[in-house]
Amino acid sequence: ENPRVDLDLVYVIEAAGEARSTARIVPLQLYVDGKVVPVGGVATVATHPAYRRRGLAGRLTRHALYELRGRGVHLSLLHPFDPAFYRRYGFELATEGLSYTLKPADLPVSSERHRVRGYSGDDLPEMMALQDEEAALHPCCVRRSESWWRLALDLSGEKAADYGHRAAVYEREGRLEGYVLYRHSDTGRAPRRVLRVPELLARTPAARSGLHSFLAAHAPRISELEYEAPRADPLHPFLDT
């Protein structure tokens, strides 16, 4: 039912009429030296607990890479549970991320916040162009498809609980200069509200200031902020604490 799944790229090891291990390849595009090249994303590698440590996941991984080569795709990537596990198959660390846990009030505030507004469907082409522009500057950065964006920003569909994000954009003189993706979540019995921010992209310092101030304005309703950032674009230089 997932439009991003190609059944020809789903692999299963079966025995005695049951599936014991699975894996699939997600066709993607990757920026390498500013150019877009095809790449296979290894995903959904899973083995039934009763049959783990028998080499099944390794067999599927090797098979998936063999199938990719047969299709003329010579690059592959994945998000591993353990980088050491996949080194034996030729994978190596390509990038790292930073995770911050802080209070919204820890973020600086700025008058640029008045240029921030909620996302609308008409903003999607400019948001995609912003991300493409940034991605092309970094090696091994995935180029996102329009279907990825529509799934990530769909707050009304059945997948919203798993994928849906809210978004805000920074607009100056009719042009988008940045955006932030975020989600609210309640955790536990206590009224602890968490704001998760998986991505903030700013083309200009003013856009960054405005978006940071937008997040800071969630206090005191939000008690905790979980902020993800690439290592090349850290958050801590902008914090007072």
Side-chain angles (χ1 to χ4, degrees):
E1 296 178 357
N2 188 333
R4 301 179 69 204
V5 174
D6 181 347
L7 293 180
D8 289 336
L9 296 174
V10 177
Y11 310 109
V12 180
I13 291 179
E14 291 182 306
E18 64 177 357
R20 297 191 174 182
S21 191
T22 67
R24 72 183 177 100
I25 294 292
V26 181
L28 300 170
Q29 293 181 316
L30 196 72
Y31 282 101
V32 177
D33 295 331
K35 298 179 181 179
V36 176
V37 299
V39 62
V42 180
T44 325
V45 180
T47 301
H48 189 287
Y51 305 108
R52 289 176 182 165
R53 299 188 180 278
R54 302 187 187 188
L56 300 183
R59 286 171 57 190
L60 282 178
T61 300
R62 290 191 179 94
H63 179 77
L65 296 176
Y66 177 82
E67 289 292 319
L68 281 174
R69 182 175 295 180
R71 291 168 177 251
V73 179
H74 303 289
L75 287 174
S76 177
L77 55 79
L78 49 78
H79 189 266
F81 72 95
D82 179 7
F85 178 86
Y86 285 96
R87 281 195 175 100
R88 73 191 73 176
Y89 308 113
F91 289 94
E92 189 47 82
L93 188 66
T95 187
E96 295 178 289
L98 299 171
S99 297
Y100 297 86
T101 301
L102 63 158
K103 293 179 174 59
D106 293 331
L107 289 169
V109 295
S110 165
S111 61
E112 292 297 328
R113 180 190 161 205
H114 76 276
R115 299 185 187 276
V116 177
R117 60 170 175 77
Y119 157 84
S120 72
D122 292 338
D123 296 322
L124 183 56
E126 280 194 88
M127 290 173 67
M128 292 178 61
L130 274 174
Q131 201 275 336
D132 272 349
E133 181 182 294
E134 182 68 20
L137 300 176
H138 305 281
C140 298
C141 195
V142 173
R143 184 185 189 188
R144 293 178 184 160
S145 65
E146 183 174 342
S147 62
W148 184 96
W149 279 101
R150 293 193 177 280
L151 183 63
L153 295 172
D154 180 16
L155 301 177
S156 60
E158 296 179 359
K159 299 290 185 180
D162 296 323
Y163 300 101
H165 292 83
R166 296 184 184 276
V169 299
Y170 178 95
E171 184 178 33
R172 185 184 183 94
E173 298 178 356
R175 183 168 178 256
L176 295 194
E177 294 185 0
Y179 66 82
V180 60
L181 305 181
Y182 64 97
R183 293 182 65 184
H184 295 96
S185 64
D186 296 299
T187 58
R189 295 182 180 179
R192 185 170 74 93
R193 297 271 291 172
V194 178
L195 184 67
R196 294 191 168 93
V197 182
E199 182 168 300
L200 186 150
L201 193 155
R203 175 182 282 155
T204 63
R208 183 185 299 277
S209 295
L211 293 169
H212 282 173
S213 189
F214 164 78
L215 296 174
H218 283 75
R221 186 166 177 264
I222 295 294
S223 58
E224 190 171 279
L225 178 70
E226 295 180 355
Y227 186 106
E228 305 290 330
R231 183 169 290 278
D233 187 23
L235 174 65
H236 54 267
F238 303 97
L239 302 177
D240 294 329
T241 57

